[in-house]
Amino acid sequence: QVQLVESGGGLVQPGGSLRLSCADSGPIKSIKPMGWFQQAPGKQRELVAAISSGGSTNYADSVKGRFTISRDNTNNTVYLQMNSLKPEDTGVYYCYTAVHGYDYWGQGTPVTVSS
């Protein structure tokens, strides 16, 4: 069983920053590849950033240079540092992982970038 719990979303002005957290609180304590997805209003969920179990990262072109994904394996937590936020970054952000062929999602945390 994998339980992902996101936090850190909120309302921020354009150009501002937020840090999202995803805590893996389930009983399976292993280092898993993780990803952050954005679901903008009226759109499908899209991958924003991902980090492998070894720490390799990749990003959507739209966030390169602005967002940073990282992990703290001691606390089973993955972070998404979001800088220079734009209105188009608005949406619900979901944490994701896959274990033994099963997909697991958090409940989502909303991010609104608006003046």
Side-chain angles (χ1 to χ4, degrees):
Q1 185 82 14
V2 176
Q3 297 172 353
L4 303 177
V5 180
E6 302 102 330
S7 61
L11 172 64
V12 63
Q13 292 186 343
S17 298
L18 283 174
R19 189 175 82 153
L20 307 183
S21 299
C22 172
D24 177 1
S25 60
I28 303 176
K29 299 301 183 188
S30 62
I31 300 172
K32 311 172 185 69
M34 304 287 287
W36 284 99
F37 285 71
Q38 175 201 17
Q39 187 160 20
K43 295 187 177 181
Q44 292 192 346
R45 214 169 283 189
E46 295 183 343
L47 180 65
V48 171
I51 186 165
S52 72
S53 55
S56 300
T57 59
N58 63 77
Y59 299 92
D61 288 343
S62 60
V63 305
K64 283 181 180 176
R66 299 189 299 122
F67 290 12
T68 302
I69 188 170
S70 61
R71 65 191 310 154
D72 179 348
N73 293 332
T74 301
N75 294 318
N76 292 297
T77 302
V78 173
Y79 303 98
L80 185 66
Q81 178 67 44
M82 305 188 296
N83 298 329
S84 302
L85 282 161
K86 304 176 181 180
E88 51 264 44
D89 296 320
T90 292
V92 180
Y93 283 72
Y94 295 89
C95 186
Y96 164 85
T97 192
V99 178
H100 301 311
Y102 290 92
D103 295 334
Y104 295 92
W105 296 91
Q107 83 286 355
T109 185
V111 171
T112 302
V113 184
S114 175
S115 55

